[in-house]
Amino acid sequence: RPQQQKVVSFFETAQGELERMLRDTSAFLSQLTHYAAVVVGPAPESSPIRGLQVVRLTADQALVVLVHANAVLSKRVVSIDPTTADDTLEDVTHQLVKIHLEGHEDVPSGDQAADELRRRLSDAIAEPEETPVFVGGTSSVAEIFDAVDQVHDVLRVLEKQYVVVSLISDLLKRGQEVAIGSETGMEPLAECSLVVSPIEVDGVAAGSVGVLGPTRMRYPHALATVALVSQELGQHLRGEGSS
């Protein structure tokens, strides 16, 4: 089918960091359906760390880059003592790899400055990161609804990432793929419908895909498109994670 070929081609040519790909996917899904599209990426902490790098940005700042097994790349900027030698930073990085990737015990070295640096960087690595959420096609919301107030209400909901994540998560936990009107449980979405599908990588939940449109939306088309995009995205993430 033309639509299926279009989706397959999109993921065959998709490149770049995961964040960019998820953002591009939300825009692509919106183009396919003409509704607002939401792509919720995999939670970074849900997948083990497979790679760890520490890069000095400035005299008093270091960048910690974590590569997770599910292809998520997470970054943290950490303040460091400007007198820290590059050799010390390198030694501490090797120790962090042993601790966080190889399961070694964190044993004080006796070097107070190095131990403090390792503690600061370890704390940053342990910090939970927000689940990535990308919303595409918000401009289509204005075309879908007639009332200006309603457009503003819907856009306000879409701007709140944690609300979008919990809304989709609750729906999937109930084993549902569609919420119509009041079934969303949110007053601003009383005239909306939400169609969602989980993203799975090797049978493990790795986010979700959905579209938000009017209650008069074309459900068979929306369901088929969302399911196809989530399936292809899951396969793409599996390929990225194993590469």
Side-chain angles (χ1 to χ4, degrees):
R1 301 199 313 267
Q3 176 116 314
Q4 185 165 2
Q5 189 53 50
K6 201 182 285 187
V7 173
V8 170
S9 297
F10 171 80
F11 286 106
E12 280 177 351
T13 57
Q15 291 178 335
E17 277 191 5
L18 181 75
E19 279 192 10
R20 179 185 155 194
M21 197 194 63
L22 296 180
R23 185 178 288 108
D24 289 348
T25 300
S26 69
F28 175 64
L29 180 56
S30 178
Q31 288 169 13
L32 290 175
T33 59
H34 304 291
Y35 304 132
V38 180
V39 176
V40 180
E45 63 271 17
S46 68
S47 182
I49 299 169
R50 288 283 168 83
L52 187 160
Q53 274 188 308
V54 181
V55 182
R56 191 174 207 134
L57 291 177
T58 61
D60 61 354
Q61 281 190 328
L63 176 70
V64 180
V65 181
L66 305 175
V67 183
H68 297 264
N70 59 7
V72 173
L73 200 68
S74 47
K75 303 169 187 174
R76 291 123 165 87
V77 176
V78 183
S79 296
I80 61 172
D81 187 326
T83 63
T84 303
D86 287 345
D87 286 349
T88 303
L89 191 60
E90 197 173 320
D91 289 344
V92 168
T93 301
H94 287 314
Q95 291 165 16
L96 290 170
V97 168
K98 287 182 178 179
I99 294 164
H100 292 279
L101 273 70
E102 299 170 14
H104 289 216
E105 198 175 336
D106 187 351
V107 180
S109 67
D111 181 334
Q112 193 174 347
D115 288 345
E116 169 63 16
L117 177 61
R118 191 173 67 254
R119 185 189 63 76
R120 289 180 70 86
L121 294 172
S122 270
D123 286 349
I125 290 166
E127 274 178 23
E129 193 162 325
E130 282 189 6
T131 302
V133 182
F134 300 95
V135 180
T138 49
S139 57
S140 63
V141 173
E143 297 164 17
I144 293 168
F145 303 104
D146 301 326
V148 174
D149 288 350
Q150 192 172 17
V151 170
H152 287 165
D153 286 347
V154 172
L155 290 176
R156 269 196 289 271
V157 170
L158 290 173
E159 281 171 7
K160 295 176 181 173
Q161 293 194 359
Y162 67 94
V163 173
V164 174
V165 172
S166 60
L167 182 63
I168 292 176
S169 175
D170 289 347
L171 190 59
L172 290 172
K173 278 176 187 170
R174 295 199 300 267
Q176 292 176 251
E177 293 179 321
V178 182
I180 300 172
S182 59
E183 289 175 3
T184 61
M186 297 194 68
E187 182 59 37
L189 303 183
E191 301 298 321
C192 300
S193 285
L194 181 65
V195 173
V196 298
S197 181
I199 303 166
E200 291 189 353
V201 178
D202 292 329
V204 178
S208 49
V209 170
V211 292
L212 184 75
T215 51
R216 63 179 186 278
M217 73 158 62
R218 295 184 295 151
Y219 291 97
H221 176 258
L223 280 160
T225 306
V226 167
L228 180 59
V229 168
S230 68
Q231 179 188 328
E232 291 294 328
L233 180 52
Q235 289 181 0
H236 187 85
L237 290 178
R238 183 177 61 189
E240 289 288 306
S242 61
S243 59

